[in-house]
Amino acid sequence: MGAPQKTPSTLWGAVAYRARMKLLSVNLGRAKAVPYTDQPEGLTGIDKKPTSGPVKVSAPGPKGVGASGLAGDTVCDTRHHGGDDQAVYAVAREDLDDWERELGRTLANGAFGENLTTEGVDVSGALIGERWRVGSVVLEVSSGRIPCLTFQGHVGEQRWVKRFTQKGASGAYLRVIQPGEIRAGDRMEIVHRPDHDVTVALVFRAITTERHLQPRLLAAGEALHSEVQEWARQYVAKHGA
C-alpha cells in the first residue's frame, strides 16, 4: 500500500492518508424514530450500516423532491438532506480514525451517517468540481457537510456540533455525473481536478466560522452546491468581494 503521507486536510491539523485510494464500505440507512431530530415525524436515516452487495447509484432529483442517490438508502428530512447536490456523502476512514483517538471510542464505518467510507482519499481536501470514478460511477464533489443536532444526537457526544466544526474535516457531498453500481472494495480514481483552489475544507470554513471567505467560493463556478453559490452571491452583494 505504500507509506502514509501527511496531507494538510484542514486548517486545524494533518491526517495521514494511505497511499492507495479505495472504497472501504458502502453504507445504507433505514428510517428510525429518535428523540433528537426536528424532522416532522421524528424520523432519521442517519444510522447507516455497511452493505456487502452492489448498490445502484443515480441522481435522485432536486432537493426537496429527491432523496438519496443510493438505492436502498433512506433520507427522511428532505428539507435539509438529499437531492442532486447532496446525492452521496463521503467520509475518510482516516478522519474517523483521528476522531477515534480523540474520543477514545470505536467508530464503525458509517458512524457519521456517510454513504461512502473511503481509504486513501483526502475527502475534505478535495476540490469542488473534482470528479471521482468509483466502480462504474462518476461522482463530483459539491460541498462539505454542515453538522446539525440530529448528527449530534446520533454521535452522542456533548458539544458535538462545535467540536466537529472546530476540527474542520467535514467530509464531502457529491453529485452523480455517471450512474452505475458501486460496492465495498472498489478502486477509486480521481478523473478530473478543476483549475481553482476551492476545497471542501475552505467551503466549510466559509459557511461556518469564517464567512468573509465566501467570495472566494465563487471561483468554483457551477460545480459549487447551488445553495452555497447563492449564499456567496448574497454575501458579495451585501459586503463586496
Side-chain angles (χ1 to χ4, degrees):
M1 290 176 62
Q5 298 177 349
K6 283 287 185 179
T7 305
S9 171
T10 71
L11 183 67
W12 292 271
V15 171
Y17 292 89
R18 299 172 182 89
R20 185 185 178 209
M21 297 174 61
K22 178 182 177 182
L23 179 60
L24 286 184
S25 69
V26 181
N27 313 305
L28 307 177
R30 300 292 187 186
K32 179 179 178 181
V34 298
Y36 47 75
T37 181
D38 66 352
Q39 195 267 355
E41 297 174 310
L43 299 174
T44 178
I46 197 172
D47 186 17
K48 300 193 189 299
K49 307 295 184 185
T51 185
S52 57
V55 176
K56 291 184 178 180
V57 180
S58 60
K63 190 172 184 179
V65 178
S68 176
L70 281 73
D73 184 46
T74 302
V75 170
C76 296
D77 194 345
T78 55
R79 300 170 301 171
H80 307 301
H81 303 288
D84 289 337
D85 286 343
Q86 299 172 209
V88 181
Y89 177 48
V91 169
R93 180 64 243 182
E94 293 88 340
D95 290 335
L96 290 173
D97 293 343
D98 190 43
W99 276 114
E100 282 190 340
R101 290 186 288 270
E102 183 167 327
L103 299 176
R105 53 179 275 207
T106 299
L107 295 171
N109 292 347
F112 282 6
E114 76 272 15
N115 299 114
L116 310 183
T117 310
T118 67
E119 180 180 76
V121 184
D122 183 4
V123 174
S124 295
L127 294 170
I128 301 302
E130 185 173 300
R131 293 186 177 184
W132 304 346
R133 184 179 301 280
V134 188
S136 62
V137 175
V138 176
L139 303 171
E140 182 178 80
V141 177
S142 68
S143 185
R145 182 250 195 98
I146 301 175
C148 62
L149 291 179
T150 299
F151 185 27
Q152 179 166 289
H154 174 66
V155 174
E157 294 285 341
Q158 293 185 349
R159 300 173 56 251
W160 178 249
V161 169
K162 182 176 182 179
R163 293 173 71 179
F164 186 85
T165 300
Q166 288 175 331
K167 177 79 76 172
S170 69
Y173 280 127
L174 304 110
R175 58 176 65 89
V176 181
I177 301 299
Q178 177 179 301
E181 287 188 344
I182 59 175
R183 68 188 306 160
D186 277 346
R187 178 173 174 265
M188 298 181 63
E189 177 187 8
I190 298 173
V191 295
H192 171 70
R193 284 180 66 87
D195 187 22
H196 60 69
D197 65 352
V198 182
T199 63
V200 170
L202 176 63
V203 172
F204 184 73
R205 288 160 52 199
I207 60 181
T208 56
T209 60
E210 300 180 59
R211 297 190 178 184
H212 64 278
L213 296 173
Q214 289 191 19
R216 288 181 57 185
L217 306 185
L218 296 174
E222 294 302 308
L224 185 64
H225 191 302
S226 58
E227 291 179 359
V228 180
Q229 286 184 52
E230 183 59 27
W231 297 340
R233 291 189 184 110
Q234 290 176 2
Y235 183 96
V236 170
K238 184 175 181 180
H239 302 286

